[in-house]
């Protein structure tokens, strides 16, 4: 079989195996999905995670800026639209993921202003987010694509989180959860494209090792954010 | 009057005055529009200018990557679509400016392959194009926006060029000129937005001087390309 002969199967398996480093395993994620977080902890997470959400279009634009392949760019640009959206004021997902996250902020009791100005964002989160954008700017674009493959693991976490929020945190208006619902369909579409790009273009052991390392790095970014958030908003 | 009080009028006038450095004044441009270039010179220009066309989406993505303003990004991203397009194979402008330029190449007697692989691109053109992309990556994003303001001057040149091509170079299939026709409407829309961004955000003398310098730099990029092309394809 073609894939086996070129080692592509084991490469994909190694990428998927990085799920063991995914932040769904972090204590803060686990406690969130078990319904054990206080409103203040949920608010702290939403406010801090906004720094990540707001930076995603710039990360994806950095990949576009480094990518010489027009066909890849034509598909990748969709991600920027998904997050930046096309119009404010509408309730729909076409307003974009950043807008949806601001509405999540309102649903958990934060003002748009205090989320948007990132006053609650702690240094550890800021550094992790900046590291991710810098990675996309400065590393070869295929590695930056590989770093996005945490989206392979995202849908399971999104589904669990949606169920957990509706069950354990009834004080949060379910309309505020639109971001997670949108990612249930966007993330599989995006990760399929990214996986195709990475498997087509990473053929040598060195290229494949670099792709796995990029995905490990991205898992570290997400994990490190939760470390910082967990420290900033401890159980009382 | 508000604009005069803040000096915005004279700032805009100074930006517009950079038209004296625009490449429509270059001898190669003048001879092109006077119908004095040979088919080999036209081909050389089209093949070399492709390097510029192909780099535009990466330049604009670099600006997106550096721009923290979601409203600006939502409008700026349109430029990437204009050049990258959405589908190959169609004859329409929705296939994008790069595709339209490849068709111009075919209309002047070049193969898609020899244009796309940039085998004819001379070092001076390569360096100028790379300098432009590097500028957009590394300078403050408002300066990169200011550097795009050569589009203030483009429509006049496009209109003259369209007329000149139809009059002086009847051997070129007019269908190949779709790129220039598209720019007649795209460039004014784009330069209006860029001018708005620059006038809103450049308020101090230093900021305004930097914006003018950015536009001068961009004029130098275009001029330097024609210097290199003129040298590579001299009159016989």
């Amino acid at each position: 079989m073609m894939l086996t002969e070129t080692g592509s199967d084991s490469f994909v398996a190694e990428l998927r195996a990085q799920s063991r480093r995914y932040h769904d395993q972090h204590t803060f994620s686990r406690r969130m999905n078990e319904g054990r977080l206080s409103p203040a902890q949920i608010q702290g997470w939403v406010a801090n995670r906004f720094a990540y959400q707001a930076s995603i279009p710039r990360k994806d634009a950095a990949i576009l800026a480094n990518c010489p392949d027009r066909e890849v760019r034509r598909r990748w640009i969709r991600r920027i639209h998904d997050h930046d959206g096309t119009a404010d004021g509408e309730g729909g997902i076409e307003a974009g993921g950043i807008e949806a996250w601001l509405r999540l902020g309102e649903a958990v009791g934060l003002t748009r202003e205090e989320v948007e100005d990132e006053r609650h964002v702690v240094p550890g989160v800021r550094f992790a987010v900046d590291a991710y954008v810098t990675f996309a700017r400065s590393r070869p674009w295929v590695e930056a694509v590989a770093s996005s493959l945490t989206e392979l693991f995202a849908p399971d976490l999104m589904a669990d989180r949606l169920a957990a929020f509706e069950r354990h945190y009834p004080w949060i208006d379910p309309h505020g959860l639109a971001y997670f619902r949108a990612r249930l369909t966007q993330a599989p579409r995006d990760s399929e494209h990214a996986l195709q790009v990475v498997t087509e273009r990473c053929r040598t052991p060195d290229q494949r090792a670099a792709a796995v390392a990029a995905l490990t790095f991205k898992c570290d970014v997400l994990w490190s954010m939760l470390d910082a958030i967990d420290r900033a908003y401890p159980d009382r």
Side-chain angles (χ1 to χ4, degrees), chain A:
Chain A
M1 189 180 136
M2 194 67 183
L3 282 174
T4 308
E5 285 180 68
T6 61
S8 191
D9 275 358
S10 63
F11 175 43
V12 171
E14 198 179 349
L15 290 167
R16 289 192 186 279
Q18 300 310 306
S19 68
R20 69 180 181 273
R21 299 169 184 270
Y22 192 54
H23 63 168
D24 64 335
Q25 310 290 326
H26 194 283
T27 170
F28 196 86
S29 261
R30 287 175 179 271
R31 277 147 52 218
M32 180 184 295
N33 284 3
E34 288 161 6
R36 292 165 52 200
L37 296 187
S38 68
Q41 287 173 315
I42 294 282
Q43 288 177 341
W45 173 73
V46 169
N48 272 272
R49 170 88 186 187
F50 180 77
Y52 176 86
Q53 301 303 139
S55 77
I56 293 300
R58 297 177 67 180
K59 180 272 292 181
D60 284 316
I63 292 175
L64 279 192
N66 289 334
C67 173
D69 186 312
R70 186 161 44 131
E71 284 308 317
V72 173
R73 290 199 305 262
R74 282 172 167 178
R75 290 182 68 176
W76 203 267
I77 198 170
R78 177 80 178 268
R79 294 166 178 254
I80 301 177
H81 288 294
D82 284 344
H83 284 88
D84 272 343
T86 49
D88 273 318
E90 297 293 323
I93 199 62
E94 71 280 1
I98 294 173
E99 178 63 26
W101 200 271
L102 287 169
R103 283 156 202 253
L104 173 63
E106 292 177 298
V108 302
L110 298 164
T111 65
R112 287 177 72 89
E113 197 184 12
E114 71 185 304
V115 177
E116 226 166 356
D117 68 16
E118 304 189 8
R119 74 184 73 163
H120 300 297
V121 175
V122 299
V125 168
R126 170 62 51 210
F127 299 153
V129 167
D130 288 353
Y132 188 33
V133 176
T134 300
F135 187 93
R137 282 206 178 116
S138 56
R139 300 292 305 171
W141 70 272
V142 176
E143 289 180 34
V145 167
S147 74
S148 79
L149 283 171
T150 45
E151 283 168 341
L152 288 169
F153 321 134
D156 286 348
L157 177 57
M158 292 297 132
D160 289 351
R161 190 178 285 157
L162 266 171
F165 270 53
E166 290 178 359
R167 178 170 171 197
H168 299 300
Y169 308 101
W171 54 275
I172 302 174
D173 180 353
H175 289 103
L177 307 179
Y179 177 83
F180 305 126
R181 281 189 211 98
R183 295 308 298 166
L184 285 176
T185 54
Q186 289 169 349
R189 179 205 69 198
D190 289 349
S191 63
E192 185 188 3
H193 179 220
L195 196 59
Q196 180 193 324
V197 167
V198 168
T199 51
E200 278 174 9
R201 291 175 186 261
C202 299
R203 316 296 294 193
T204 70
D206 281 357
Q207 289 169 336
R208 289 177 174 178
V212 172
L215 180 51
T216 302
F217 158 80
K218 171 65 181 301
C219 288
D220 290 345
V221 166
L222 296 172
W223 193 277
S224 174
M225 286 172 63
L226 287 188
D227 279 351
I229 292 167
D230 195 26
R231 181 63 60 107
Y233 305 93
D235 291 337
R236 304 241 170 235

